[in-house]
């Protein structure tokens, strides 16, 4: 099981900077997912910036979320 997000910061270009429970800080590029209907609301940059950590993952006010494993495995370490 991969570590869970504990903090999130929205960045430009639909990127999330995520700190995980193991201390890793990684960047997740959400653009690859925005064409799926479940993620259409995130195409609004203002809405995208409303992300928060809740229930061990990154969520938005409408209930949209990403699987924490996806966030970890599909992200790159921040150096």
């Amino acid at each position: 099981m991969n570590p869970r997000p504990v903090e999130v910061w929205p960045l430009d270009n639909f990127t999330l900077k995520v700190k995980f429970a193991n201390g890793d800080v990684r960047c997740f590029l959400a653009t690859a997912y925005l064409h799926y209907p479940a993620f259409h609301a995130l195409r609004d940059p203002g809405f995208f910036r409303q992300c928060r950590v809740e229930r061990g993952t990154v969520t938005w006010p409408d209930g949209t979320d990403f699987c924490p494993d996806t966030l970890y495995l599909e992200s790159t370490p921040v150096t």
Side-chain angles (χ1 to χ4, degrees):
M1 186 162 127
N2 294 301
R4 301 291 180 155
V6 294
E7 290 184 67
V8 64
W9 301 272
L11 305 175
D12 292 336
N13 301 318
F14 302 102
T15 301
L16 300 172
K17 182 177 175 182
V18 184
K19 181 176 182 182
F20 291 88
N22 67 352
D24 286 356
V25 178
R26 302 173 67 93
C27 280
F28 175 79
L29 184 60
T31 54
Y33 297 88
L34 299 182
H35 70 279
Y36 292 108
F39 298 106
H40 277 187
L42 302 184
R43 293 192 283 184
D44 174 346
F47 187 73
F48 184 82
R49 292 191 168 280
Q50 294 179 40
C51 61
R52 64 186 180 276
V53 173
E54 190 174 273
R55 298 178 316 249
T57 195
V58 176
T59 67
W60 283 265
D62 69 348
T64 300
D65 65 1
F66 280 100
C67 171
D69 290 331
T70 298
L71 289 169
Y72 192 80
L73 294 172
E74 298 295 325
S75 61
T76 57
V78 173
T79 56

XYZ file of all heavy atoms in Angstrom:
643
model
N 0.845 -1.182 0.000
C 0.000 0.000 0.000
C 0.887 1.241 0.000
O 1.861 1.322 0.732
C -0.908 -0.004 1.226
C -1.907 1.104 1.214
S -3.257 0.751 2.354
C -3.232 2.228 3.309
N 0.546 2.187 -0.822
C 1.302 3.422 -0.927
C 0.886 4.404 0.160
O -0.212 4.316 0.702
C 1.087 4.037 -2.309
C 1.670 3.165 -3.389
O 2.851 2.888 -3.388
N 0.831 2.704 -4.285
N 1.748 5.357 0.487
C 1.422 6.338 1.525
C 0.279 7.250 1.090
O 0.056 7.466 -0.104
C 2.722 7.129 1.704
C 3.494 6.906 0.456
C 3.089 5.569 -0.063
N -0.428 7.775 2.064
C -1.576 8.650 1.821
C -1.158 10.116 1.841
O -0.238 10.504 2.562
C -2.634 8.437 2.905
C -3.161 7.030 3.008
C -3.991 6.698 1.810
N -4.496 5.337 1.900
C -5.585 4.933 1.294
N -6.283 5.766 0.561
N -5.972 3.697 1.399
N -1.854 10.952 1.070
C -1.579 12.386 1.103
C -1.911 12.980 2.471
O -2.884 12.575 3.114
C -2.527 12.966 0.051
C -2.868 11.828 -0.839
C -2.841 10.619 0.046
N -1.096 13.947 2.894
C -1.364 14.677 4.131
C -1.487 16.179 3.896
O -2.060 16.899 4.712
C -0.310 14.386 5.226
C -0.389 12.927 5.668
C 1.093 14.734 4.760
N -0.933 16.673 2.780
C -1.050 18.078 2.390
C -1.070 18.166 0.880
O -0.486 17.323 0.199
C 0.126 18.908 2.913
C 0.147 19.109 4.408
C 1.286 20.028 4.835
O 1.238 21.233 4.498
O 2.222 19.518 5.469
N -1.727 19.211 0.370
C -1.758 19.414 -1.076
C -1.714 20.906 -1.383
O -2.271 21.723 -0.643
C -3.006 18.760 -1.723
C -4.299 19.395 -1.231
C -2.916 18.797 -3.235
N -1.018 21.239 -2.472
C -0.941 22.611 -2.973
C -1.223 22.576 -4.462
O -0.519 21.892 -5.213
C 0.453 23.194 -2.742
C 0.866 23.210 -1.320
C 0.635 24.188 -0.400
C 1.606 22.184 -0.625
N 1.189 23.837 0.812
C 1.795 22.609 0.696
C 2.125 20.950 -1.007
C 2.460 21.856 1.643
C 2.788 20.188 -0.064
C 2.955 20.645 1.244
N -2.238 23.305 -4.926
C -2.476 23.375 -6.372
C -1.464 24.308 -7.020
O -1.162 25.377 -6.487
C -3.891 23.940 -6.465
C -4.055 24.746 -5.223
C -3.223 24.050 -4.162
N -0.928 23.894 -8.150
C 0.031 24.684 -8.911
C -0.567 25.005 -10.282
O -1.660 24.543 -10.620
C 1.343 23.917 -9.068
C 2.006 23.429 -7.783
C 3.241 22.589 -8.123
C 2.363 24.588 -6.880
N 0.149 25.766 -11.070
C -0.296 26.068 -12.429
C -0.328 24.803 -13.277
O 0.275 23.779 -12.931
C 0.646 27.080 -13.075
C 0.549 28.451 -12.425
O -0.502 28.768 -11.821
O 1.534 29.203 -12.508
N -1.029 24.902 -14.404
C -1.078 23.812 -15.388
C -1.664 22.521 -14.832
O -1.214 21.434 -15.193
C 0.302 23.563 -16.002
C 0.850 24.789 -16.685
O 0.118 25.495 -17.372
N 2.120 25.074 -16.481
N -2.639 22.651 -13.938
C -3.357 21.491 -13.390
C -2.417 20.478 -12.739
O -2.537 19.275 -12.920
C -4.226 20.834 -14.467
C -5.221 21.798 -15.052
C -4.998 22.388 -16.283
C -6.359 22.140 -14.348
C -5.897 23.297 -16.810
C -7.272 23.052 -14.866
C -7.039 23.628 -16.098
N -1.491 21.009 -11.985
C -0.528 20.192 -11.257
C -0.797 20.304 -9.763
O -1.126 21.372 -9.264
C 0.907 20.660 -11.566
O 1.127 20.551 -12.976
C 1.936 19.831 -10.827
N -0.662 19.190 -9.077
C -0.781 19.160 -7.621
C 0.572 18.829 -7.011
O 1.235 17.882 -7.451
C -1.780 18.086 -7.174
C -3.207 18.227 -7.666
C -4.004 16.984 -7.292
C -3.848 19.480 -7.104
N 0.966 19.594 -6.040
C 2.138 19.260 -5.227
C 1.582 18.595 -3.980
O 0.768 19.196 -3.260
C 2.924 20.517 -4.889
C 4.184 20.263 -4.098
C 4.916 21.582 -3.880
C 6.123 21.425 -2.999
N 6.790 22.734 -2.765
N 1.968 17.363 -3.742
C 1.365 16.561 -2.674
C 2.445 16.082 -1.714
O 3.458 15.521 -2.130
C 0.609 15.340 -3.249
C -0.092 14.570 -2.149
C -0.382 15.767 -4.331
N 2.196 16.286 -0.429
C 3.058 15.707 0.603
C 2.355 14.460 1.118
O 1.162 14.489 1.444
C 3.292 16.686 1.748
C 4.210 16.121 2.812
C 4.520 17.126 3.894
C 5.481 16.518 4.910
N 5.762 17.470 5.995
N 3.107 13.375 1.198
C 2.559 12.090 1.627
C 2.977 11.765 3.054
O 3.925 12.359 3.590
C 3.019 10.990 0.662
C 2.395 11.117 -0.707
C 3.004 11.895 -1.684
C 1.204 10.499 -1.006
C 2.434 12.032 -2.937
C 0.617 10.631 -2.259
C 1.237 11.397 -3.225
N 2.282 10.820 3.657
C 2.505 10.457 5.057
C 3.927 9.982 5.334
O 4.406 10.087 6.463
C 1.497 9.385 5.488
N 4.621 9.483 4.326
C 6.004 9.025 4.524
C 7.011 10.163 4.386
O 8.209 9.949 4.438
C 6.337 7.899 3.553
C 6.363 8.343 2.111
O 5.986 9.476 1.782
N 6.765 7.447 1.225
N 6.528 11.397 4.168
C 7.404 12.556 4.026
C 7.754 12.913 2.598
O 8.292 13.988 2.346
N 7.460 12.038 1.644
C 7.737 12.339 0.235
C 6.881 13.515 -0.222
O 5.699 13.618 0.132
C 7.399 11.149 -0.664
C 8.391 10.008 -0.561
O 9.400 10.155 0.163
O 8.146 8.968 -1.201
N 7.463 14.372 -1.033
C 6.729 15.451 -1.699
C 6.856 15.189 -3.186
O 7.963 15.029 -3.709
C 7.286 16.835 -1.325
C 6.542 17.928 -2.068
C 7.201 17.056 0.181
N 5.701 15.115 -3.860
C 5.682 14.732 -5.268
C 4.730 15.639 -6.047
O 3.818 16.211 -5.460
C 5.250 13.266 -5.403
C 6.186 12.323 -4.630
C 5.671 10.887 -4.615
N 5.692 10.277 -5.913
C 6.695 9.545 -6.409
N 7.786 9.346 -5.679
N 6.619 9.010 -7.603
N 4.942 15.746 -7.355
C 4.068 16.524 -8.234
C 3.264 15.576 -9.118
O 3.821 14.689 -9.762
C 4.866 17.498 -9.085
S 5.311 18.983 -8.191
N 1.959 15.819 -9.136
C 1.018 15.019 -9.922
C 0.394 15.911 -10.979
O -0.225 16.925 -10.661
C -0.067 14.444 -9.005
C -1.151 13.704 -9.724
C -0.943 12.411 -10.154
C -2.376 14.306 -9.960
C -1.949 11.724 -10.819
C -3.385 13.627 -10.614
C -3.178 12.325 -11.050
N 0.545 15.547 -12.248
C -0.022 16.295 -13.359
C -1.385 15.695 -13.699
O -1.478 14.558 -14.171
C 0.920 16.235 -14.566
C 0.531 17.045 -15.778
C 0.425 18.534 -15.426
C 1.564 16.850 -16.879
N -2.452 16.460 -13.454
C -3.808 15.953 -13.617
C -4.322 16.027 -15.051
O -5.382 15.464 -15.347
C -4.756 16.711 -12.691
N -3.614 16.688 -15.948
C -4.132 16.908 -17.301
C -4.497 15.619 -18.035
O -5.429 15.615 -18.838
C -3.143 17.715 -18.160
O -1.870 17.085 -18.136
C -3.024 19.135 -17.654
N -3.813 14.550 -17.777
C -4.103 13.281 -18.454
C -5.479 12.737 -18.097
O -6.013 11.887 -18.812
C -3.034 12.249 -18.111
N -6.071 13.228 -17.031
C -7.358 12.721 -16.555
C -8.530 13.647 -16.874
O -9.681 13.256 -16.733
C -7.299 12.497 -15.038
C -6.298 11.444 -14.668
C -4.968 11.783 -14.438
C -6.660 10.106 -14.581
C -4.026 10.812 -14.121
C -5.730 9.128 -14.256
C -4.415 9.491 -14.037
O -3.494 8.538 -13.736
N -8.253 14.873 -17.295
C -9.307 15.877 -17.432
C -10.282 15.608 -18.572
O -11.370 16.187 -18.589
C -8.690 17.275 -17.574
C -7.839 17.737 -16.392
C -7.327 19.145 -16.637
C -8.601 17.652 -15.089
N -9.952 14.726 -19.493
C -10.894 14.404 -20.574
C -11.958 13.392 -20.133
O -12.961 13.231 -20.803
C -10.144 13.901 -21.812
C -9.532 12.555 -21.649
N -8.329 12.364 -21.006
C -9.963 11.329 -22.025
C -8.045 11.072 -21.011
N -9.010 10.425 -21.606
N -11.754 12.736 -19.007
C -12.759 11.803 -18.496
C -13.920 12.589 -17.880
O -13.700 13.568 -17.166
C -12.161 10.879 -17.432
C -11.142 9.907 -17.974
C -9.785 10.074 -17.695
C -11.526 8.827 -18.768
C -8.840 9.186 -18.187
C -10.586 7.939 -19.267
C -9.252 8.121 -18.973
O -8.319 7.247 -19.465
N -15.161 12.161 -18.131
C -16.311 12.896 -17.590
C -16.268 13.113 -16.080
O -16.683 14.166 -15.593
C -17.501 12.018 -17.984
C -17.040 11.310 -19.221
C -15.565 11.059 -19.005
N -15.758 12.162 -15.342
C -15.711 12.296 -13.878
C -14.849 13.469 -13.422
O -15.020 13.972 -12.315
C -15.194 11.006 -13.250
N -13.932 13.911 -14.274
C -13.002 14.975 -13.905
C -13.234 16.289 -14.661
O -12.437 17.208 -14.554
C -11.555 14.500 -14.114
C -11.193 13.321 -13.269
C -11.078 12.060 -13.824
C -10.985 13.462 -11.905
C -10.751 10.958 -13.043
C -10.652 12.372 -11.117
C -10.545 11.112 -11.682
N -14.330 16.403 -15.404
C -14.592 17.611 -16.197
C -14.612 18.882 -15.358
O -14.133 19.929 -15.804
C -15.895 17.477 -16.970
C -15.735 16.732 -18.253
N -16.746 16.614 -19.170
C -14.683 16.056 -18.801
C -16.329 15.901 -20.204
N -15.086 15.542 -19.991
N -15.149 18.837 -14.157
C -15.215 20.044 -13.310
C -13.828 20.584 -12.996
O -13.660 21.793 -12.803
C -15.965 19.739 -12.017
N -12.839 19.713 -12.973
C -11.476 20.136 -12.632
C -10.823 20.946 -13.746
O -9.774 21.552 -13.532
C -10.604 18.920 -12.299
C -11.081 18.035 -11.153
C -10.063 16.937 -10.893
C -11.342 18.837 -9.907
N -11.445 21.006 -14.922
C -10.890 21.794 -16.020
C -11.012 23.299 -15.766
O -10.351 24.085 -16.427
C -11.553 21.410 -17.335
C -11.186 19.991 -17.746
C -11.574 19.697 -19.162
N -13.018 19.452 -19.252
C -13.634 19.100 -20.358
N -12.956 18.978 -21.490
N -14.918 18.884 -20.368
N -11.833 23.676 -14.812
C -11.948 25.083 -14.415
C -10.808 25.362 -13.429
O -10.785 24.799 -12.331
C -13.295 25.327 -13.751
C -13.449 26.718 -13.178
O -12.452 27.462 -13.023
O -14.594 27.081 -12.868
N -9.844 26.216 -13.804
C -8.690 26.457 -12.926
C -9.079 26.939 -11.520
O -8.440 26.546 -10.542
C -7.878 27.525 -13.668
C -8.274 27.381 -15.093
C -9.718 26.956 -15.071
N -10.111 27.746 -11.425
C -10.553 28.212 -10.110
C -11.063 27.074 -9.245
O -10.794 27.019 -8.041
N -11.809 26.170 -9.858
C -12.310 25.010 -9.124
C -11.166 24.066 -8.781
O -11.102 23.528 -7.672
C -13.390 24.286 -9.931
C -14.068 23.200 -9.167
C -14.973 23.500 -8.159
C -13.787 21.873 -9.429
C -15.589 22.485 -7.428
C -14.393 20.859 -8.714
C -15.307 21.167 -7.712
N -10.253 23.868 -9.724
C -9.112 22.976 -9.484
C -8.348 23.408 -8.234
O -7.901 22.575 -7.448
C -8.187 22.969 -10.707
C -7.053 22.001 -10.586
C -7.222 20.661 -10.875
C -5.791 22.432 -10.186
C -6.167 19.761 -10.757
C -4.735 21.545 -10.072
C -4.926 20.207 -10.360
N -8.223 24.718 -8.038
C -7.471 25.252 -6.893
C -8.173 25.035 -5.551
O -7.592 25.281 -4.504
C -7.185 26.734 -7.103
C -6.202 26.954 -8.232
C -5.709 28.390 -8.261
N -4.581 28.527 -9.157
C -3.329 28.190 -8.854
N -3.043 27.696 -7.678
N -2.359 28.345 -9.731
N -9.394 24.548 -5.563
C -10.132 24.309 -4.327
C -9.858 22.924 -3.726
O -10.568 22.465 -2.833
C -11.633 24.465 -4.570
C -12.043 25.868 -4.925
C -13.524 25.983 -5.169
O -14.335 25.377 -4.470
N -13.900 26.768 -6.170
N -8.809 22.277 -4.168
C -8.478 20.944 -3.669
C -8.115 20.985 -2.184
O -7.707 22.017 -1.655
C -7.335 20.341 -4.478
S -5.806 21.285 -4.394
N -8.291 19.849 -1.550
C -7.939 19.700 -0.137
C -7.698 18.210 0.140
O -8.104 17.358 -0.645
C -9.041 20.248 0.754
C -10.350 19.491 0.642
C -11.461 20.167 1.442
N -12.715 19.457 1.335
C -13.605 19.586 0.355
N -13.361 20.408 -0.640
N -14.721 18.900 0.352
N -7.043 17.932 1.247
C -6.862 16.539 1.663
C -8.003 16.185 2.601
O -8.284 16.904 3.567
C -5.503 16.328 2.361
C -5.412 14.924 2.940
C -4.367 16.576 1.378
N -8.668 15.095 2.272
C -9.797 14.619 3.072
C -9.893 13.107 2.905
O -9.748 12.601 1.787
C -11.073 15.299 2.558
C -12.277 15.098 3.421
C -13.439 15.929 2.903
O -13.534 17.102 3.295
O -14.219 15.404 2.088
N -10.122 12.409 3.965
C -10.275 10.947 3.945
C -9.091 10.230 3.300
O -9.249 9.242 2.595
C -11.569 10.552 3.240
C -12.840 11.054 3.885
C -14.061 10.654 3.068
N -13.834 10.872 1.655
C -14.436 11.797 0.913
N -15.330 12.565 1.446
N -14.156 11.927 -0.365
N -7.887 10.781 3.481
C -6.687 10.121 3.000
C -6.398 10.287 1.525
O -5.586 9.549 0.969
N -7.056 11.265 0.884
C -6.758 11.536 -0.512
C -7.045 12.996 -0.827
O -7.444 13.756 0.043
C -7.521 10.594 -1.461
O -6.926 10.669 -2.760
C -8.997 10.904 -1.519
N -6.820 13.395 -2.066
C -7.087 14.763 -2.495
C -8.501 14.808 -3.074
O -8.847 13.996 -3.942
C -6.051 15.228 -3.541
C -6.392 16.612 -4.069
C -4.654 15.216 -2.933
N -9.305 15.752 -2.569
C -10.693 15.871 -3.005
C -11.030 17.312 -3.363
O -10.284 18.237 -3.055
C -11.670 15.401 -1.909
O -11.603 16.312 -0.813
C -11.361 14.010 -1.432
N -12.209 17.478 -3.974
C -12.754 18.788 -4.323
C -14.153 18.908 -3.748
O -14.758 17.904 -3.365
C -12.776 18.943 -5.849
C -11.419 19.251 -6.400
C -10.922 20.490 -6.678
C -10.362 18.339 -6.693
N -9.628 20.407 -7.125
C -9.262 19.085 -7.143
C -10.235 16.960 -6.615
C -8.064 18.505 -7.525
C -9.041 16.378 -6.984
C -7.970 17.146 -7.432
N -14.701 20.131 -3.693
C -16.007 20.338 -3.053
C -17.160 19.498 -3.621
O -18.112 19.191 -2.900
C -16.283 21.832 -3.268
C -14.931 22.446 -3.357
C -14.078 21.412 -4.067
N -17.086 19.106 -4.884
C -18.175 18.308 -5.467
C -18.006 16.803 -5.237
O -18.779 16.008 -5.734
C -18.313 18.606 -6.957
C -17.132 18.100 -7.778
O -16.092 17.722 -7.185
O -17.232 18.102 -9.017
N -16.970 16.417 -4.501
C -16.739 14.999 -4.210
C -15.757 14.321 -5.153
O -15.402 13.160 -4.951
N -15.330 15.020 -6.193
C -14.318 14.456 -7.089
C -13.057 14.174 -6.288
O -12.675 14.952 -5.418
C -13.995 15.448 -8.224
O -15.184 15.719 -8.956
C -12.931 14.897 -9.147
N -12.427 13.044 -6.576
C -11.166 12.732 -5.903
C -10.314 11.841 -6.794
O -10.772 11.349 -7.812
C -11.393 12.077 -4.540
C -12.050 10.701 -4.611
O -12.327 10.215 -5.728
O -12.297 10.107 -3.567
N -9.057 11.716 -6.407
C -8.144 10.800 -7.064
C -7.786 9.701 -6.077
O -7.633 9.960 -4.879
C -6.850 11.512 -7.500
C -6.983 12.287 -8.770
C -7.163 13.655 -8.753
C -6.929 11.640 -9.997
C -7.281 14.379 -9.933
C -7.051 12.353 -11.185
C -7.228 13.721 -11.154
N -7.632 8.494 -6.588
C -7.172 7.389 -5.767
C -5.788 7.751 -5.215
O -4.921 8.220 -5.962
C -7.096 6.134 -6.625
S -6.300 4.748 -5.824
N -5.552 7.563 -3.918
C -4.244 7.895 -3.367
C -3.110 7.108 -4.017
O -1.994 7.622 -4.148
C -4.363 7.591 -1.879
C -5.625 6.853 -1.702
C -6.474 7.078 -2.903
N -3.365 5.883 -4.449
C -2.331 5.106 -5.145
C -1.979 5.767 -6.470
O -0.801 5.848 -6.839
C -2.795 3.671 -5.389
C -2.879 2.863 -4.108
O -2.113 3.153 -3.164
O -3.713 1.940 -4.047
N -2.973 6.256 -7.197
C -2.725 6.965 -8.451
C -1.892 8.210 -8.200
O -0.935 8.493 -8.924
C -4.046 7.335 -9.141
O -4.753 6.129 -9.452
C -3.816 8.134 -10.409
N -2.260 8.967 -7.175
C -1.515 10.185 -6.852
C -0.039 9.881 -6.597
O 0.830 10.624 -7.024
C -2.120 10.878 -5.638
C -3.464 11.545 -5.850
C -4.069 11.960 -4.508
C -3.336 12.741 -6.772
N 0.227 8.798 -5.912
C 1.614 8.473 -5.573
C 2.358 7.868 -6.767
O 3.451 8.305 -7.125
C 1.673 7.524 -4.378
C 3.062 7.389 -3.820
C 3.577 8.370 -2.970
C 3.878 6.325 -4.152
C 4.868 8.277 -2.466
C 5.157 6.207 -3.655
C 5.649 7.187 -2.818
O 6.924 7.103 -2.325
N 1.750 6.884 -7.399
C 2.433 6.145 -8.463
C 2.590 6.949 -9.750
O 3.548 6.746 -10.498
C 1.695 4.841 -8.756
C 1.698 3.819 -7.623
C 0.791 2.658 -7.952
C 3.110 3.353 -7.308
N 1.676 7.870 -10.016
C 1.714 8.653 -11.250
C 2.338 10.033 -11.053
O 2.226 10.891 -11.923
C 0.298 8.803 -11.814
C -0.363 7.494 -12.184
C 0.328 6.766 -13.326
O 0.840 7.446 -14.250
O 0.393 5.533 -13.286
N 2.981 10.245 -9.934
C 3.616 11.543 -9.652
C 5.136 11.412 -9.684
O 5.672 10.310 -9.681
C 3.152 12.076 -8.295
O 3.519 11.190 -7.258
N 5.781 12.558 -9.712
C 7.244 12.577 -9.734
C 7.767 13.266 -8.483
O 7.168 14.239 -7.999
C 7.782 13.300 -10.982
O 7.242 14.622 -11.012
C 7.401 12.570 -12.243
N 8.872 12.798 -7.947
C 9.429 13.403 -6.739
C 9.869 14.856 -6.982
O 10.353 15.182 -8.068
C 10.657 12.535 -6.416
C 10.440 11.262 -7.162
C 9.635 11.615 -8.364
N 9.657 15.680 -5.984
C 10.134 17.053 -6.017
C 11.537 17.048 -5.433
O 11.763 16.508 -4.352
C 9.216 17.982 -5.195
C 9.803 19.373 -5.092
C 7.824 18.014 -5.795
N 12.460 17.626 -6.168
C 13.847 17.644 -5.674
C 14.238 19.008 -5.185
O 13.650 20.000 -5.485
C 14.821 17.208 -6.788
O 14.639 18.045 -7.910
C 14.601 15.765 -7.144
